[in-house]
């Protein structure tokens, strides 16, 4: 009628508006009109006025107000909606299908808001609904749409993408019932999506909701040439770069951002390099895309980026001066860029607990060292051995298998021209598919001229990692509990083969996890191991404790797709860690191409406005106005207004408490004062510090100070204050000559000034800091006696508390006071000297005492001091120093009179 698009969820409630005329008549009749009778005695009441009055008739405007209240309530209960969506009416239920993967997490809040609005609209149409999540399929249950609208916050994205078994479970859950589908898609292609679309279209109309932005994820973090290289991939075009940050733990275990960078995408791929010291690189725990809340935007790290510690042990008869013939020369060249190399004797190396120990042609090991080395291997160490003349000539592992050798060896070895001549040097055979070296390219010119030969054994075949073209083992390995022993049947130098001269040698060491721990992630080394989840990721990229989850087989951890049984996170086996991230480096992140027949929209919320709550609030406001109007007409509003004014007055803070007292009032009260520096922040800290100290004095002593007072040296009288706290700032102005004279008079009359440079460097009065230099400039115009660090028997150490340290927010022990007289001597039997009876006029320090004392008006500390229990103890000592300081100011050196106790006792005895 008025051109406004308006709809009602329950229009039949509007029939209640017919009863408004009846309500009008009822309200007109209440209260009933009084009967008018003339009474002569009423003349006596003329001029009197009642505080409360009752009208004989309700005013028309009050009746109209009450009618408006009832009308608002009726219309609100009818469920009015402004700008309703022009949707096609459907009698079919609505099925909301959520992909629910990590790829949906970035826009999950927008999805939830849209779903709530859509389900509320479906409820207004009287439709039932159901919600089904592909990554967590459950039985479909069609209920009133309003129930599912209230349960939308219960759904969260999972840290894995839909898999084929989960899609099959969803297809099985879809019955022959007809329904319309609202598919909330993550935008990525996956197996079974086409079949799912066909099934939904067979049940009714299908509408797709999908974020128009591309999905981004971190797919790899690797160590290249000493730098961490982060790789990211997107499902589409990304115009703006993404900020990426490297996060790790500091020595206290707190997460810190070690480095930040930017990822600019080119052909859906982006890389960023970070150069970090080895110490920081070993502490890196994860990489994140800043501002993207999804498991795909988090990349957890494991042992693969940690710099390994490799110990090289050589035989005692190593030839000096022949560098290229050294058993460890080529090993050092292969490891020096990527590992920390340790060299020394075996007893010195084992306590360092390196990741790898390499024995280059070491045949004989002392029994005690052998036992320790075996324990190290059993605890998870990798022992890598190389053959050589000494190993070939020894009788090691001839008859029985040595626990520190993977196989038994034949005597003498094998070489060209020897008793077991080959005829020609042998090449390497292609690596077996189960070998950790599988896939490595073997140079064609690589030859082996000599080796140690393994004894035939039933378990020899399963321990061979590499062999020559004639089937002779070249590299063998044996697992020893959690560790392993690997033997190269050739030397570590080029004396027996060309292997150490080739790039293949470096690749083989890497696969064996000698260069980096990445080699430990190979399938061969993961067989038969169980990995316990330590922390797992949810769909929005947050870490949670995973130690309550069951362990996962090592091979499954590498190859199986993530899901409810295998969640992305950090897994551990012994001292080894492995990170299974939400996205693998080779995972496909292609966007799904929807057919043209499918309607795809974004997550823009419907423009409909629910007027129900607006009208209910309006009715409530009108009801309050009605109540106030009724009180006004009855004359009761005046008393209520006075009460409200009184409450407001009581709640208003009394600003006079914060104002300075007059000089006459200061003669009767004790006030701690501070020097105004002109820096508002410093002055506020000074006020809060002395306020907190005043509270402590009030609670612990008989001193009851009033609120602290800021003193202007140029204009205020100082004689009223026994104590001044003067914080130093580098920019505060120099006092004038008159102010200097006033300060000198104040010090001569017994006042005390606590100079605080607030820099924790008070040696030589803080001369090395800007505030210390400013103090020196100001102190040059003051008459300050000779100073010394507080001696252990100074009165300040015992005026109230027994103290030896005087910390504030800092804990420097250099606090300076007036020096003791030269003739001060310690009386026999007393723990301190007979000092003078005056009060030290100045105290100089830099511990920032005001920050340690500072509290607000409710007693809450404003600044941290130290950490944990140690910090609270330091704050307590700061308060005790403040109490001793004020007691010293107020009482002088009365404690020093204890030196006269022996003389007094003698007189009393006489």
């Amino acid at each position: 009628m008025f051109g406004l698009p308006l709809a009602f969820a329950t229009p039949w409630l509007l029939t209640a508006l017919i009863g408004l005329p009846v309500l009008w008549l009822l309200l007109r009749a209440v209260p009933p009109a009084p009967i008018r009778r003339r009474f002569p005695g009423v003349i006596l009441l003329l001029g009197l006025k009642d505080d409360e009055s009752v009208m004989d008739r309700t005013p028309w405007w009050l009746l109209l107000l009450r009618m408006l209240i009832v009308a608002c309530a009726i219309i609100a209960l009818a469920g009015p909606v402004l700008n309703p969506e022009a949707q096609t009416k459907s009698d079919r239920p609505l099925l909301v299908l959520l992909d629910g993967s990590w790829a949906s997490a970035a826009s999950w809040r927008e999805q939830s808001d849209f779903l709530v609005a859509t389900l509320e609209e479906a409820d207004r149409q009287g439709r039932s609904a159901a919600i089904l999540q592909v990554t967590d399929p459950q039985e479909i249950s069609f209920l009133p749409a309003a129930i599912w609208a209230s349960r939308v916050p219960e759904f969260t994205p999972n840290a894995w993408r839909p898999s084929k078994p989960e899609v099959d479970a969803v297809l099985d859950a879809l019955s022959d019932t007809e329904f319309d589908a609202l598919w909330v898609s993550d935008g990525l292609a996956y197996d079974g999506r086409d079949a799912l679309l066909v099934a939904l279209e067979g049940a009714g109309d299908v509408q797709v909701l999908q974020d128009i932005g591309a999905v981004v994820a971190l797919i790899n973090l690797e160590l290249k040439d000493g730098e961490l290289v982060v790789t990211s991939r997107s499902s589409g075009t990304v115009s703006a770069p993404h900020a990426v940050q490297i996060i790790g733990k500091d020595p206290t275990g707190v997460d810190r951002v070690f480095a930040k960078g930017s990822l600019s995408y080119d052909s859906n791929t982006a890389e960023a390099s970070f150069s970090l010291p080895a110490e920081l690189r070993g502490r890196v725990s994860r990489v994140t895309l800043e501002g993207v809340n999804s498991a795909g935007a988090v990349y957890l790290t494991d042992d693969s980026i940690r710099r390994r510690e490799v110990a090289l042990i050589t035989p005692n008869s190593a030839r000096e001066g022949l560098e290229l013939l050294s058993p460890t020369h080529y090993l050092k060249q292969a490891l020096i860029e990527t590992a920390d190399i340790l060299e020394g004797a075996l007893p010195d190396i084992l306590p360092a607990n390196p990741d790898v120990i390499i024995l280059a042609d070491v045949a004989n090991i002392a029994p005690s060292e052998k036992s320790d080395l075996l324990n190290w291997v059993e605890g998870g160490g990798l022992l890598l051995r190389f053959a050589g003349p000494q190993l070939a000539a020894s009788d090691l592992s001839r008859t029985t298998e040595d626990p520190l050798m993977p196989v038994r060896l034949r005597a003498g070895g094998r070489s060209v021209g020897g008793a077991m001549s080959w005829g020609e040097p042998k090449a390497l055979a292609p690596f077996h598919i189960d070998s950790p070296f599988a896939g490595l390219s073997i140079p064609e010119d690589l030859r082996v001229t000599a080796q140690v030969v393994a004894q035939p054994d039933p378990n020899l075949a399963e321990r061979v990692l590499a062999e020559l073209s004639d089937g002779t083992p070249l590299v063998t390995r044996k697992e020893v509990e959690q560790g392993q022993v690997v033997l190269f049947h050739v030397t570590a130098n080029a004396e027996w083969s060309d292997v150490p001269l080739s790039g293949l040698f470096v690749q083989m060491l890497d696969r064996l996890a000698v260069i980096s721990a990445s080699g430990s992630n190979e399938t061969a080394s993961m067989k038969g191991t169980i990995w316990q989840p330590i922390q797992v990721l949810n769909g929005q990229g947050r870490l949670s404790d995973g130690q309550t989850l069951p362990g996962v087989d090592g091979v499954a951890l590498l190859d199986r797709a993530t899901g409810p049984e295998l969640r992305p996170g950090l897994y551990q086996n012994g001292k080894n860690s492995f990170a299974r991230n939400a996205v693998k480096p080779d995972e496909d992140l292609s966007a799904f191409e929807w057919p043209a027949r499918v309607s795809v929209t974004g997550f823009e919320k419907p423009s409909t406005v629910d007027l129900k709550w607006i009208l209910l609030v309006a009715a409530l406001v009108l009801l309050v106005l009605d109540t106030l109007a009724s009180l006004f007409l009855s004359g009761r509003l005046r008393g209520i207004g006075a009460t409200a004014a009184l409450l407001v007055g009581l709640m208003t803070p009394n600003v006079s408490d914060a104002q300075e007292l007059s000089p006459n009032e200061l003669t009767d009260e004790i006030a701690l004062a501070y020097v105004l520096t002109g820096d508002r922040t410093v002055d506020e800290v000074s006020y809060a510090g002395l306020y907190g100290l005043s509270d402590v004095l009030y609670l612990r002593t008989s001193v009851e100070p009033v609120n602290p007072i800021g003193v202007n040296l140029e204009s205020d009288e100082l004689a009223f204050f026994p104590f001044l706290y003067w914080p130093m700032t580098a920019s505060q102005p120099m006092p004038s000559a008159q102010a200097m004279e006033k300060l000198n008079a104040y010090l001569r009359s017994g006042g005390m000034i606590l100079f605080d440079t607030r820099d924790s460097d008070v040696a030589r009065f803080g001369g090395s800091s800007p505030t210390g230099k400013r103090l020196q400039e100001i102190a040059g115009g003051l008459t300050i006696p000779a100073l010394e660090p507080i001696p252990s028997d100074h009165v300040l150490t015992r005026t109230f508390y027994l103290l030896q340290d005087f910390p504030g927010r800092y804990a420097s022990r250099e606090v300076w006071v007036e020096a003791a007289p030269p003739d001060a001597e310690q009386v026999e039997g007393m723990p301190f000297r007979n000092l003078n009876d005056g009060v030290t006029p100045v105290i100089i320090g830099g511990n920032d005492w005001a920050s340690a004392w500072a509290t607000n008006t409710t007693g809450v500390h404003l600044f941290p001091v130290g950490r944990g229990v140690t910090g609270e103890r330091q704050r307590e000592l700061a308060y005790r120093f403040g109490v001793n300081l004020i007691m010293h100011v107020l009482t002088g050196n009365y404690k020093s009179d204890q030196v006269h106790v022996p003389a007094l006792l003698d007189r009393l005895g006489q």
Side-chain angles (χ1 to χ4, degrees):
M1 177 170 57
F2 298 101
L4 289 175
L6 193 65
F8 294 91
T10 52
W12 58 270
L13 277 175
L14 295 177
T15 57
L17 295 174
I18 301 176
L20 289 180
V22 178
L23 183 61
W24 176 278
L25 295 177
L26 290 175
L27 293 176
R28 291 283 293 178
V30 179
I35 300 175
R36 296 180 177 272
R37 295 185 184 277
R38 294 183 180 274
F39 179 64
V42 77
I43 193 67
L44 301 175
L45 302 178
L46 293 177
L48 299 179
K49 183 179 295 183
D50 289 337
D51 292 335
E52 297 183 3
S53 60
V54 179
M55 299 187 65
D56 62 344
R57 189 180 300 274
T58 304
W60 67 269
W61 56 268
L62 187 57
L63 286 176
L64 183 61
L65 180 62
R66 293 172 177 174
M67 297 286 288
L68 188 59
I69 293 172
V70 176
C72 286
I74 293 174
I75 297 174
L77 294 176
V81 178
L82 185 64
N83 294 325
E85 289 285 324
Q87 297 178 347
T88 305
K89 292 288 185 178
S90 176
D91 297 331
R92 291 188 294 266
L94 176 65
L95 174 65
V96 177
L97 184 66
L98 305 173
D99 278 343
S101 70
W102 60 262
S104 305
S107 58
W108 193 260
R109 177 173 295 181
E110 291 79 2
Q111 296 181 29
S112 300
D113 293 343
F114 187 94
L115 288 181
V116 170
T118 302
L119 291 170
E120 288 176 349
E121 177 63 26
D123 182 64
R124 285 190 286 268
Q125 296 178 5
R127 302 174 66 182
S128 60
I131 299 180
L132 184 61
Q133 189 167 338
V134 180
T135 53
D136 186 19
Q138 305 290 335
E139 185 178 351
I140 298 177
S141 178
F142 285 101
L143 299 173
I147 296 178
W148 284 108
S150 64
R151 294 179 59 182
V152 166
E154 299 176 8
F155 290 87
T156 57
N158 289 313
W160 54 88
R161 295 177 58 193
S163 61
K164 189 63 168 60
E166 290 169 339
V167 173
D168 293 339
V170 172
L171 291 174
D172 294 339
L174 299 177
S175 60
D176 297 332
T177 307
E178 292 187 352
F179 54 80
D180 294 333
L182 179 63
W183 192 343
V184 184
S185 170
D186 60 14
L188 299 181
Y190 56 80
D191 292 340
R193 186 186 278 270
D194 292 321
L196 198 53
L197 178 60
V198 172
L200 294 178
E201 288 181 326
D205 296 334
V206 177
Q207 181 184 359
V208 174
L209 299 177
Q210 180 176 302
D211 190 0
I212 59 175
V215 177
V216 294
L218 296 173
I219 62 172
N220 198 20
L221 174 68
E222 58 183 340
L223 188 62
K224 288 183 178 179
D225 298 328
E227 290 188 339
L228 290 178
V229 180
V230 179
T231 307
S232 178
R233 185 180 298 157
S234 68
S235 63
T237 303
V238 179
S239 56
H242 273 102
V244 61
Q245 53 187 10
I246 307 291
I247 300 176
K249 294 187 180 298
D250 64 11
T252 64
V254 179
D255 283 341
R256 304 289 185 188
V257 177
F258 290 164
K260 286 188 176 183
S262 179
L263 288 169
S264 298
Y265 291 82
D266 183 17
S267 301
N268 300 346
T269 303
E271 283 190 356
S273 299
F274 298 89
S275 180
L276 294 178
E279 170 64 19
L280 289 184
R281 191 166 63 238
R283 294 181 179 273
V284 173
S285 59
R286 65 186 184 275
V287 183
T288 62
L289 288 177
E290 197 171 356
V292 183
N293 298 321
S294 76
V298 178
Y299 194 94
L300 303 177
T301 64
D302 49 24
D303 294 337
S304 60
I305 66 168
R306 185 167 59 89
R307 191 177 178 94
R308 307 279 279 176
E309 287 188 351
V310 181
L312 299 179
I313 312 296
T314 58
N316 295 331
S317 60
R319 289 165 289 188
E320 297 182 0
L322 301 178
E323 184 66 26
L324 295 179
L325 297 181
S326 170
T328 60
H329 172 73
Y330 297 101
L331 286 170
K332 289 180 182 178
Q333 297 303 313
L335 300 174
I336 194 169
E337 295 294 334
T338 54
D340 295 326
I341 300 176
L342 307 177
E343 292 186 272
L346 194 57
D348 300 329
I349 290 296
L350 283 175
N353 192 27
D355 298 297
V356 182
I357 293 180
I358 300 179
L359 301 181
D361 194 18
V362 175
N364 298 319
I365 306 175
S368 60
E369 298 176 4
K370 189 172 185 179
S371 176
D372 294 339
L373 182 58
L374 181 60
N375 292 333
W376 175 82
V377 173
E378 291 175 346
L382 169 61
L383 176 62
L384 179 61
R385 307 192 67 167
F386 284 87
Q390 294 190 29
L391 189 64
S394 69
D395 58 354
L396 189 65
S397 300
R398 304 304 184 205
T399 57
T400 60
E401 183 176 314
D402 190 294
L404 294 178
M405 291 289 289
V407 294
R408 294 186 301 122
L409 300 178
R410 291 183 181 180
R414 182 183 186 191
S415 62
V416 175
M420 299 180 63
S421 177
W422 295 355
E424 292 292 339
K426 299 298 182 182
L428 272 66
F431 298 118
H432 193 269
I433 190 173
D434 292 332
S435 170
F437 309 136
L440 295 181
S441 176
I442 301 175
E444 296 181 357
D445 58 347
L446 202 63
R447 293 294 182 268
V448 175
T449 59
Q451 68 167 153
V452 292
V453 182
Q455 290 274 19
D457 215 326
N459 55 8
L460 176 61
E462 63 184 23
R463 297 183 181 181
V464 175
L465 303 184
E467 57 187 8
L468 300 179
S469 56
D470 62 352
T472 308
L474 178 66
V475 182
T476 54
R477 178 175 63 181
K478 177 180 69 174
E479 295 182 357
V480 182
E481 293 191 8
Q482 297 184 14
Q484 52 185 330
V485 179
V486 179
L487 172 65
F488 275 73
H489 291 241
V490 294
T491 56
N493 57 18
E495 191 172 354
W496 284 11
S497 70
D498 299 333
V499 173
L501 301 176
S502 66
L504 177 64
F505 185 60
V506 178
Q507 294 175 322
M508 294 174 74
L509 292 178
D510 191 22
R511 291 290 182 92
L512 291 173
V514 176
I515 293 179
S516 68
S518 59
S520 63
N521 299 336
E522 297 299 326
T523 304
S525 62
M526 302 285 276
K527 284 184 178 180
T529 59
I530 299 297
W531 295 73
Q532 175 63 41
I534 303 301
Q535 289 182 308
V536 293
L537 284 168
N538 65 9
Q540 294 174 321
R542 299 187 182 94
L543 285 168
S544 61
D545 184 22
Q547 300 189 57
T548 58
L549 299 174
V552 179
D553 178 72
V555 177
L557 188 62
L558 282 175
D559 301 332
R560 188 190 303 170
T562 54
E565 291 78 23
L566 177 59
R567 305 190 180 202
L570 188 65
Y571 291 77
Q572 197 171 55
N573 175 260
K575 70 174 185 179
N576 298 321
S577 63
F578 177 71
R580 178 61 193 270
N581 288 286
V583 185
K584 300 181 71 174
D586 57 349
E587 187 169 338
D588 183 21
L589 294 182
S590 300
F592 183 74
E593 298 294 336
W594 293 97
R597 66 181 183 277
V598 178
S599 173
V600 181
T601 58
F603 294 117
E604 296 83 8
K605 286 186 64 176
S607 59
T608 59
V609 179
D610 191 349
L611 299 178
K612 175 181 178 180
W613 298 107
I614 297 177
L615 291 173
L616 288 177
V617 172
L620 182 61
V621 172
L622 294 176
L623 184 60
V624 172
L625 293 176
D626 177 84
T627 302
L628 295 176
S630 300
L631 293 174
F632 174 78
L633 293 175
S634 63
R636 301 176 184 175
L637 188 60
R638 182 178 180 181
I640 296 176
T643 303
L646 178 61
L647 292 176
V648 171
L650 292 176
M651 295 174 62
T652 303
N654 188 1
V655 298
S656 63
D657 292 342
Q659 296 175 353
E660 294 187 1
L661 301 176
S662 66
N664 291 332
E665 292 173 317
L666 286 174
T667 59
D668 299 327
E669 300 287 352
I670 296 177
L672 306 184
Y674 60 95
V675 176
L676 296 172
T677 64
D679 188 321
R680 181 175 180 181
T681 301
V682 174
D683 294 342
E684 289 176 350
V685 173
S686 299
Y687 178 87
L690 296 184
Y691 185 93
L693 180 58
S694 298
D695 282 347
V696 172
L697 289 167
Y698 182 86
L699 294 173
R700 303 185 185 183
T701 72
S702 60
V703 181
E704 298 181 359
V706 296
N707 286 351
I709 296 176
V711 173
N712 187 329
L713 297 177
E714 303 295 337
S715 59
D716 291 337
E717 177 58 50
L718 305 181
F720 299 110
F721 309 107
F723 168 78
L724 284 180
Y725 175 74
W726 193 341
M728 286 292 115
T729 63
S731 60
Q732 65 179 283
M734 283 287 296
S736 63
Q738 293 78 5
M740 286 294 187
E741 293 180 3
K742 187 188 302 183
L743 285 170
N744 285 323
Y746 174 76
L747 295 175
R748 287 193 300 270
S749 62
M752 176 193 285
I753 302 177
L754 172 60
F755 292 97
D756 191 350
T757 58
R758 303 178 299 113
D759 57 3
S760 187
D761 178 22
V762 294
R764 300 179 180 85
F765 305 160
S768 60
S769 67
T771 55
K773 293 177 180 178
R774 195 58 171 171
L775 171 60
Q776 290 181 346
E777 296 172 358
I778 294 175
L782 298 176
T783 305
I784 296 178
L787 302 178
E788 67 175 355
I790 294 183
S792 60
D793 60 348
H794 195 274
V795 182
L796 271 174
T797 64
R798 59 184 187 278
T799 51
F800 196 86
Y801 292 103
L802 295 178
L803 295 177
Q804 289 301 323
D805 294 312
F806 315 98
R809 196 177 185 193
Y810 307 115
S812 173
R813 303 190 66 178
E814 292 290 336
V815 180
W816 297 73
V817 296
E818 181 182 2
D823 58 348
E825 296 181 357
Q826 183 173 346
V827 178
E828 183 178 357
M830 297 301 296
F832 41 81
R833 294 171 294 170
N834 181 14
L835 303 175
N836 58 30
D837 291 333
V839 175
T840 176
V842 295
I843 299 177
I844 299 178
N847 288 342
D848 194 4
W849 286 284
S851 295
W853 298 333
T855 65
N856 60 16
T857 55
T858 60
V860 177
H861 299 297
L862 301 183
F863 300 97
V865 175
R867 289 185 178 177
V869 177
T870 305
E872 291 305 315
R873 176 62 178 171
Q874 182 174 331
R875 190 190 300 276
E876 173 61 22
L877 290 178
Y879 277 128
R880 293 186 179 187
F881 169 67
V883 172
N884 277 18
L885 187 66
I886 302 304
M887 298 301 288
H888 178 50
V889 171
L890 299 178
T891 63
N893 283 350
Y894 78 98
K895 285 282 185 175
S896 292
D897 291 338
Q898 295 177 29
V899 299
H900 304 299
V901 169
L904 294 174
L905 292 178
D906 290 341
R907 291 183 181 180
L908 290 175
Q910 294 175 359

